[in-house]
PDB file of all heavy atoms in Angstrom:
ATOM      1  N   GLY A  22       0.776  -1.266   0.002  1.00 75.00           N
ATOM      2  CA  GLY A  22      -0.017  -0.036  -0.026  1.00 75.00           C
ATOM      3  C   GLY A  22       0.820   1.236   0.018  1.00 75.00           C
ATOM      4  O   GLY A  22       0.430   2.235  -0.550  1.00 75.00           O
ATOM      5  N   GLU A  23       1.995   1.281   0.643  1.00 84.00           N
ATOM      6  CA  GLU A  23       2.776   2.472   0.739  1.00 84.00           C
ATOM      7  C   GLU A  23       3.307   2.842  -0.690  1.00 84.00           C
ATOM      8  O   GLU A  23       3.306   4.004  -1.033  1.00 84.00           O
ATOM      9  CB  GLU A  23       3.975   2.225   1.698  1.00 84.00           C
ATOM     10  CG  GLU A  23       3.589   2.123   3.108  1.00 84.00           C
ATOM     11  CD  GLU A  23       4.739   2.028   4.025  1.00 84.00           C
ATOM     12  OE1 GLU A  23       5.901   2.251   3.553  1.00 84.00           O
ATOM     13  OE2 GLU A  23       4.525   1.936   5.274  1.00 84.00           O
ATOM     14  N   GLN A  24       3.696   1.795  -1.455  1.00 88.00           N
ATOM     15  CA  GLN A  24       4.084   2.095  -2.785  1.00 88.00           C
ATOM     16  C   GLN A  24       2.982   2.580  -3.687  1.00 88.00           C
ATOM     17  O   GLN A  24       3.145   3.569  -4.494  1.00 88.00           O
ATOM     18  CB  GLN A  24       4.740   0.855  -3.430  1.00 88.00           C
ATOM     19  CG  GLN A  24       5.238   1.014  -4.890  1.00 88.00           C
ATOM     20  CD  GLN A  24       6.333   2.081  -4.973  1.00 88.00           C
ATOM     21  OE1 GLN A  24       7.094   2.290  -4.006  1.00 88.00           O
ATOM     22  NE2 GLN A  24       6.430   2.717  -6.125  1.00 88.00           N
ATOM     23  N   LEU A  25       1.788   2.029  -3.490  1.00 90.00           N
ATOM     24  CA  LEU A  25       0.563   2.515  -4.271  1.00 90.00           C
ATOM     25  C   LEU A  25       0.268   3.950  -3.907  1.00 90.00           C
ATOM     26  O   LEU A  25      -0.077   4.786  -4.711  1.00 90.00           O
ATOM     27  CB  LEU A  25      -0.582   1.539  -3.876  1.00 90.00           C
ATOM     28  CG  LEU A  25      -1.896   1.833  -4.572  1.00 90.00           C
ATOM     29  CD1 LEU A  25      -1.817   1.636  -6.078  1.00 90.00           C
ATOM     30  CD2 LEU A  25      -3.038   0.957  -3.986  1.00 90.00           C
ATOM     31  N   GLU A  26       0.418   4.266  -2.592  1.00 90.00           N
ATOM     32  CA  GLU A  26       0.147   5.623  -2.136  1.00 90.00           C
ATOM     33  C   GLU A  26       1.136   6.556  -2.728  1.00 90.00           C
ATOM     34  O   GLU A  26       0.790   7.708  -3.238  1.00 90.00           O
ATOM     35  CB  GLU A  26       0.209   5.683  -0.612  1.00 90.00           C
ATOM     36  CG  GLU A  26      -0.089   7.019   0.003  1.00 90.00           C
ATOM     37  CD  GLU A  26       0.027   6.911   1.546  1.00 90.00           C
ATOM     38  OE1 GLU A  26       1.027   7.083   2.136  1.00 90.00           O
ATOM     39  OE2 GLU A  26      -1.135   6.726   2.124  1.00 90.00           O
ATOM     40  N   ARG A  27       2.416   6.168  -2.730  1.00 91.00           N
ATOM     41  CA  ARG A  27       3.460   7.037  -3.316  1.00 91.00           C
ATOM     42  C   ARG A  27       3.253   7.264  -4.807  1.00 91.00           C
ATOM     43  O   ARG A  27       3.409   8.377  -5.299  1.00 91.00           O
ATOM     44  CB  ARG A  27       4.826   6.368  -3.059  1.00 91.00           C
ATOM     45  CG  ARG A  27       6.001   7.284  -3.524  1.00 91.00           C
ATOM     46  CD  ARG A  27       7.328   6.533  -3.230  1.00 91.00           C
ATOM     47  NE  ARG A  27       8.428   7.434  -3.528  1.00 91.00           N
ATOM     48  CZ  ARG A  27       8.957   8.302  -2.674  1.00 91.00           C
ATOM     49  NH1 ARG A  27       8.468   8.381  -1.473  1.00 91.00           N
ATOM     50  NH2 ARG A  27       9.967   9.119  -3.021  1.00 91.00           N
ATOM     51  N   GLU A  28       2.874   6.201  -5.545  1.00 92.00           N
ATOM     52  CA  GLU A  28       2.586   6.340  -6.946  1.00 92.00           C
ATOM     53  C   GLU A  28       1.393   7.326  -7.195  1.00 92.00           C
ATOM     54  O   GLU A  28       1.401   8.031  -8.181  1.00 92.00           O
ATOM     55  CB  GLU A  28       2.289   4.973  -7.550  1.00 92.00           C
ATOM     56  CG  GLU A  28       3.571   4.029  -7.610  1.00 92.00           C
ATOM     57  CD  GLU A  28       3.202   2.644  -8.013  1.00 92.00           C
ATOM     58  OE1 GLU A  28       2.027   2.329  -8.218  1.00 92.00           O
ATOM     59  OE2 GLU A  28       4.185   1.823  -8.141  1.00 92.00           O
ATOM     60  N   LEU A  29       0.394   7.173  -6.327  1.00 94.00           N
ATOM     61  CA  LEU A  29      -0.727   8.058  -6.484  1.00 94.00           C
ATOM     62  C   LEU A  29      -0.288   9.595  -6.336  1.00 94.00           C
ATOM     63  O   LEU A  29      -0.659  10.417  -7.194  1.00 94.00           O
ATOM     64  CB  LEU A  29      -1.784   7.720  -5.449  1.00 94.00           C
ATOM     65  CG  LEU A  29      -2.887   8.848  -5.181  1.00 94.00           C
ATOM     66  CD1 LEU A  29      -3.701   9.022  -6.456  1.00 94.00           C
ATOM     67  CD2 LEU A  29      -3.728   8.466  -3.986  1.00 94.00           C
ATOM     68  N   VAL A  30       0.517   9.876  -5.289  1.00 94.00           N
ATOM     69  CA  VAL A  30       0.894  11.240  -5.080  1.00 94.00           C
ATOM     70  C   VAL A  30       1.779  11.630  -6.179  1.00 94.00           C
ATOM     71  O   VAL A  30       1.695  12.855  -6.742  1.00 94.00           O
ATOM     72  CB  VAL A  30       1.605  11.336  -3.734  1.00 94.00           C
ATOM     73  CG1 VAL A  30       2.267  12.695  -3.525  1.00 94.00           C
ATOM     74  CG2 VAL A  30       0.731  11.017  -2.591  1.00 94.00           C
ATOM     75  N   GLU A  31       2.712  10.852  -6.633  1.00 94.00           N
ATOM     76  CA  GLU A  31       3.607  11.218  -7.707  1.00 94.00           C
ATOM     77  C   GLU A  31       2.849  11.551  -9.014  1.00 94.00           C
ATOM     78  O   GLU A  31       3.119  12.527  -9.683  1.00 94.00           O
ATOM     79  CB  GLU A  31       4.673  10.101  -8.031  1.00 94.00           C
ATOM     80  CG  GLU A  31       5.649  10.328  -9.074  1.00 94.00           C
ATOM     81  CD  GLU A  31       6.559  11.573  -8.672  1.00 94.00           C
ATOM     82  OE1 GLU A  31       7.065  11.568  -7.560  1.00 94.00           O
ATOM     83  OE2 GLU A  31       6.769  12.438  -9.547  1.00 94.00           O
ATOM     84  N   SER A  32       1.868  10.693  -9.349  1.00 94.00           N
ATOM     85  CA  SER A  32       1.103  10.932 -10.544  1.00 94.00           C
ATOM     86  C   SER A  32       0.287  12.210 -10.438  1.00 94.00           C
ATOM     87  O   SER A  32       0.225  13.003 -11.348  1.00 94.00           O
ATOM     88  CB  SER A  32       0.158   9.714 -10.800  1.00 94.00           C
ATOM     89  OG  SER A  32      -0.808   9.913 -11.783  1.00 94.00           O
ATOM     90  N   ALA A  33      -0.297  12.441  -9.195  1.00 95.00           N
ATOM     91  CA  ALA A  33      -1.158  13.651  -9.095  1.00 95.00           C
ATOM     92  C   ALA A  33      -0.303  14.894  -9.142  1.00 95.00           C
ATOM     93  O   ALA A  33      -0.688  15.924  -9.684  1.00 95.00           O
ATOM     94  CB  ALA A  33      -1.879  13.487  -7.690  1.00 95.00           C
ATOM     95  N   ARG A  34       0.819  14.832  -8.565  1.00 94.00           N
ATOM     96  CA  ARG A  34       1.692  16.083  -8.597  1.00 94.00           C
ATOM     97  C   ARG A  34       2.152  16.407 -10.008  1.00 94.00           C
ATOM     98  O   ARG A  34       2.242  17.541 -10.262  1.00 94.00           O
ATOM     99  CB  ARG A  34       2.947  15.839  -7.670  1.00 94.00           C
ATOM    100  CG  ARG A  34       2.597  15.945  -6.142  1.00 94.00           C
ATOM    101  CD  ARG A  34       3.874  15.964  -5.336  1.00 94.00           C
ATOM    102  NE  ARG A  34       3.625  16.122  -3.949  1.00 94.00           N
ATOM    103  CZ  ARG A  34       4.525  16.330  -2.999  1.00 94.00           C
ATOM    104  NH1 ARG A  34       5.807  16.322  -3.312  1.00 94.00           N
ATOM    105  NH2 ARG A  34       4.155  16.466  -1.738  1.00 94.00           N
ATOM    106  N   ARG A  35       2.470  15.368 -10.792  1.00 93.00           N
ATOM    107  CA  ARG A  35       2.822  15.667 -12.158  1.00 93.00           C
ATOM    108  C   ARG A  35       1.713  16.402 -12.953  1.00 93.00           C
ATOM    109  O   ARG A  35       2.054  17.209 -13.825  1.00 93.00           O
ATOM    110  CB  ARG A  35       3.235  14.357 -12.886  1.00 93.00           C
ATOM    111  CG  ARG A  35       4.554  13.805 -12.480  1.00 93.00           C
ATOM    112  CD  ARG A  35       5.050  12.813 -13.468  1.00 93.00           C
ATOM    113  NE  ARG A  35       4.146  11.686 -13.630  1.00 93.00           N
ATOM    114  CZ  ARG A  35       4.284  10.510 -12.955  1.00 93.00           C
ATOM    115  NH1 ARG A  35       5.247  10.363 -12.032  1.00 93.00           N
ATOM    116  NH2 ARG A  35       3.419   9.535 -13.112  1.00 93.00           N
ATOM    117  N   GLN A  36       0.494  16.180 -12.590  1.00 93.00           N
ATOM    118  CA  GLN A  36      -0.555  16.830 -13.352  1.00 93.00           C
ATOM    119  C   GLN A  36      -1.099  18.050 -12.579  1.00 93.00           C
ATOM    120  O   GLN A  36      -2.081  18.633 -12.950  1.00 93.00           O
ATOM    121  CB  GLN A  36      -1.699  15.884 -13.660  1.00 93.00           C
ATOM    122  CG  GLN A  36      -2.401  15.278 -12.448  1.00 93.00           C
ATOM    123  CD  GLN A  36      -3.343  14.098 -12.791  1.00 93.00           C
ATOM    124  OE1 GLN A  36      -2.893  13.178 -13.488  1.00 93.00           O
ATOM    125  NE2 GLN A  36      -4.625  14.232 -12.438  1.00 93.00           N
ATOM    126  N   GLY A  37      -0.475  18.428 -11.429  1.00 94.00           N
ATOM    127  CA  GLY A  37      -0.865  19.613 -10.702  1.00 94.00           C
ATOM    128  C   GLY A  37      -1.990  19.447  -9.759  1.00 94.00           C
ATOM    129  O   GLY A  37      -2.628  20.438  -9.329  1.00 94.00           O
ATOM    130  N   THR A  38      -2.307  18.207  -9.317  1.00 96.00           N
ATOM    131  CA  THR A  38      -3.344  17.843  -8.382  1.00 96.00           C
ATOM    132  C   THR A  38      -2.696  17.675  -7.002  1.00 96.00           C
ATOM    133  O   THR A  38      -1.794  16.861  -6.909  1.00 96.00           O
ATOM    134  CB  THR A  38      -4.171  16.720  -8.813  1.00 96.00           C
ATOM    135  OG1 THR A  38      -4.793  16.950 -10.145  1.00 96.00           O
ATOM    136  CG2 THR A  38      -5.294  16.307  -7.830  1.00 96.00           C
ATOM    137  N   ARG A  39      -3.333  18.234  -5.984  1.00 96.00           N
ATOM    138  CA  ARG A  39      -2.910  18.000  -4.618  1.00 96.00           C
ATOM    139  C   ARG A  39      -3.846  17.019  -3.985  1.00 96.00           C
ATOM    140  O   ARG A  39      -5.024  17.140  -4.139  1.00 96.00           O
ATOM    141  CB  ARG A  39      -2.848  19.306  -3.775  1.00 96.00           C
ATOM    142  CG  ARG A  39      -1.939  20.364  -4.289  1.00 96.00           C
ATOM    143  CD  ARG A  39      -0.473  19.918  -4.474  1.00 96.00           C
ATOM    144  NE  ARG A  39       0.079  19.227  -3.322  1.00 96.00           N
ATOM    145  CZ  ARG A  39       0.615  19.909  -2.217  1.00 96.00           C
ATOM    146  NH1 ARG A  39       0.649  21.185  -2.271  1.00 96.00           N
ATOM    147  NH2 ARG A  39       1.085  19.247  -1.234  1.00 96.00           N
ATOM    148  N   ILE A  40      -3.295  16.043  -3.292  1.00 97.00           N
ATOM    149  CA  ILE A  40      -4.098  14.969  -2.644  1.00 97.00           C
ATOM    150  C   ILE A  40      -4.313  15.301  -1.226  1.00 97.00           C
ATOM    151  O   ILE A  40      -3.371  15.573  -0.408  1.00 97.00           O
ATOM    152  CB  ILE A  40      -3.334  13.556  -2.796  1.00 97.00           C
ATOM    153  CG1 ILE A  40      -3.157  13.201  -4.232  1.00 97.00           C
ATOM    154  CG2 ILE A  40      -4.128  12.479  -2.024  1.00 97.00           C
ATOM    155  CD1 ILE A  40      -4.468  12.943  -4.996  1.00 97.00           C
ATOM    156  N   ILE A  41      -5.579  15.212  -0.788  1.00 97.00           N
ATOM    157  CA  ILE A  41      -5.928  15.308   0.624  1.00 97.00           C
ATOM    158  C   ILE A  41      -6.260  13.870   1.069  1.00 97.00           C
ATOM    159  O   ILE A  41      -7.257  13.253   0.552  1.00 97.00           O
ATOM    160  CB  ILE A  41      -7.197  16.187   0.874  1.00 97.00           C
ATOM    161  CG1 ILE A  41      -7.090  17.559   0.155  1.00 97.00           C
ATOM    162  CG2 ILE A  41      -7.433  16.304   2.340  1.00 97.00           C
ATOM    163  CD1 ILE A  41      -6.003  18.403   0.709  1.00 97.00           C
ATOM    164  N   GLY A  42      -5.494  13.353   1.935  1.00 93.00           N
ATOM    165  CA  GLY A  42      -5.722  11.905   2.361  1.00 93.00           C
ATOM    166  C   GLY A  42      -4.486  11.105   1.913  1.00 93.00           C
ATOM    167  O   GLY A  42      -3.375  11.612   1.972  1.00 93.00           O
ATOM    168  N   PRO A  43      -4.702   9.846   1.559  1.00 94.00           N
ATOM    169  CA  PRO A  43      -5.955   9.071   1.529  1.00 94.00           C
ATOM    170  C   PRO A  43      -6.365   8.705   2.906  1.00 94.00           C
ATOM    171  O   PRO A  43      -5.782   9.078   3.823  1.00 94.00           O
ATOM    172  CB  PRO A  43      -5.579   7.912   0.627  1.00 94.00           C
ATOM    173  CG  PRO A  43      -4.159   7.645   0.810  1.00 94.00           C
ATOM    174  CD  PRO A  43      -3.551   9.067   0.996  1.00 94.00           C
ATOM    175  N   ASN A  44      -7.420   7.790   2.939  1.00 91.00           N
ATOM    176  CA  ASN A  44      -7.969   7.319   4.155  1.00 91.00           C
ATOM    177  C   ASN A  44      -8.514   8.490   4.969  1.00 91.00           C
ATOM    178  O   ASN A  44      -8.165   8.658   6.162  1.00 91.00           O
ATOM    179  CB  ASN A  44      -6.948   6.564   4.968  1.00 91.00           C
ATOM    180  CG  ASN A  44      -7.525   5.790   6.134  1.00 91.00           C
ATOM    181  OD1 ASN A  44      -8.724   5.520   6.134  1.00 91.00           O
ATOM    182  ND2 ASN A  44      -6.738   5.528   7.152  1.00 91.00           N
ATOM    183  N   SER A  45      -9.386   9.309   4.336  1.00 94.00           N
ATOM    184  CA  SER A  45      -9.923  10.452   5.004  1.00 94.00           C
ATOM    185  C   SER A  45     -11.445  10.420   4.834  1.00 94.00           C
ATOM    186  O   SER A  45     -11.879   9.620   4.036  1.00 94.00           O
ATOM    187  CB  SER A  45      -9.298  11.684   4.400  1.00 94.00           C
ATOM    188  OG  SER A  45      -9.538  11.798   3.034  1.00 94.00           O
TER     189      SER A  45
END
């Protein structure tokens, strides 16, 4: 899960999206 979380954040940052969470 930690790697999945990191990949999510990396992907979102590249497209200019900020992530609130996950697990919120």
Side-chain angles (χ1 to χ4, degrees):
E23 291 186 7
Q24 181 60 28
L25 183 64
E26 183 177 86
R27 186 181 185 87
E28 290 171 356
L29 166 63
V30 174
E31 182 63 47
S32 172
R34 285 190 176 186
R35 285 197 300 267
Q36 64 190 52
T38 299
R39 301 303 308 277
I40 299 295
I41 311 293
N44 192 24
S45 61

